[in-house]
Amino acid sequence: MTQSTYTRDELLAAHEQLVDNDCGTDDDQLYTDGGTSTRTDGGSANRQPPVVVKVGGAKAVDPAGAVSDVAHLVANGRDVVVVHGGSTAVDDTLEALGEEPTYVETPSGVVGRFTDERAMEVFSMVMPGKLNTDLTATLRDAGVDAVGLSGVDGGLLTGKRKSAVRVVENGKKKIKRGDHSGKIESVNSQLLETLLADGYTPVVTVPMLGKEKDGSVTPVNADADRAAAAVAGALGAELVVLTDVSGVYEDPDDEATLVDSAATPEELAALDSAAEGFMTKKVMAAKEALTGGASAVVVSDANVNDPIVSALNGAGTRITPGALGEDAPETTADSVDASALGGDSA
């Protein structure tokens, strides 16, 4: 799909003069002076919370629109952190090396990558080595002062390594050992805030820094959706999860059944029931983001014009903190296993 693009000179000059995207609303929350002016409706244009954008790694996800939107938001003074996946590229590289990627199912029915030692080597090569470098270069070419980071850098994303996971094989529950995955337990938000305050746009990818039982640390895989959720929670940000569909559907085969929002526990329960396949992890990540302190989560289509701005202004499926009710959801044993599995499908 053809995307709106800007020349480098136009983007670099956007702080001085920027033509605002028209998303069909009276106020799309973008201001040409960097977001600090007094609005014409009499209200103060208080600084907006950061936006964390998760760009999926599936081949069906075109990042071009997201890149243009990041440039647009940053030019308007909005803090943006980009988190990206790339599991498809990891699988392609493994297959090119004559090896098959391994996916497993947890007892709760979540399917994710099993990252053995060899897969972890390829993962470290592809994600921070190629994909992060390429996306950072693309953003810089669009006029964004982007800085590429893996979860290892500065201890950005840390947590315990989980070397064994519970899986279901041939209908039987088993313990599968030798995994190089982990669940993110902490985010170095000070590092991100320092970069944002200095005008940089962090571009984040896993691996994370896994803590071993003996106190040492090693790079391990983690799910990219949930990495974005952890970052959004730590920054109190709006999380926009861009994928290859318009949001969560009640019936995945019928686009007319798009769920617009979930603002109550009952609506969140219905959303949980509706989510299938890779969307299960995205809803799980949305709950984790809100529990961690994110202001809202939107799951929306990457392959439209102005995908991020559109998501911030009503497109996709929007989930707000009220959906959690009075108490945050408890973490079950099965969900811990699911969170340890790495991979990103879209």
Side-chain angles (χ1 to χ4, degrees), residues 6 8 11 62-68 70-71 130-146 203:
Y6 303 90
R8 180 177 176 82
L11 288 165
D62 183 354
V67 168
S68 292
V70 170
K130 177 170 174 53
L131 298 183
N132 188 266
T133 299
D134 288 350
L135 182 55
T136 300
T138 299
L139 284 162
R140 292 194 66 85
D141 193 48
V144 178
D145 207 352
V203 183

Side-chain angles (χ1 to χ4, degrees), residues 202-345:
V203 183
V204 177
T205 187
V206 288
M208 58 173 274
L209 195 62
K211 299 176 182 177
E212 303 280 5
K213 291 181 180 179
D214 63 3
S216 62
V217 293
T218 187
V220 296
N221 194 4
D223 179 67
D225 285 320
R226 304 180 87 169
V231 170
L235 294 177
E238 289 188 74
L239 173 60
V240 176
V241 180
L242 295 178
T243 183
D244 59 353
V245 293
S246 296
V248 184
Y249 302 109
E250 292 178 5
D251 178 356
D253 297 322
D254 185 357
E255 293 185 2
T257 65
L258 175 70
V259 180
D260 294 326
S261 64
T264 67
E266 293 76 19
E267 290 174 343
L268 182 58
L271 195 68
D272 263 328
S273 298
E276 295 182 6
F278 71 87
M279 197 59 75
T280 303
K281 276 191 178 180
K282 299 189 186 302
V283 173
M284 190 182 298
K287 291 189 288 186
E288 290 183 355
L290 295 173
T291 301
S295 59
V297 180
V298 185
V299 180
S300 193
D301 192 350
N303 302 319
V304 297
N305 290 326
D306 309 318
I308 302 171
V309 174
S310 295
L312 294 173
N313 285 280
T317 301
R318 186 175 185 86
I319 311 165
T320 51
L324 299 178
E326 294 182 359
D327 300 313
E330 295 182 359
T331 301
T332 66
D334 282 350
S335 68
V336 170
D337 282 347
S339 68
L341 294 172
D344 169 66
S345 50

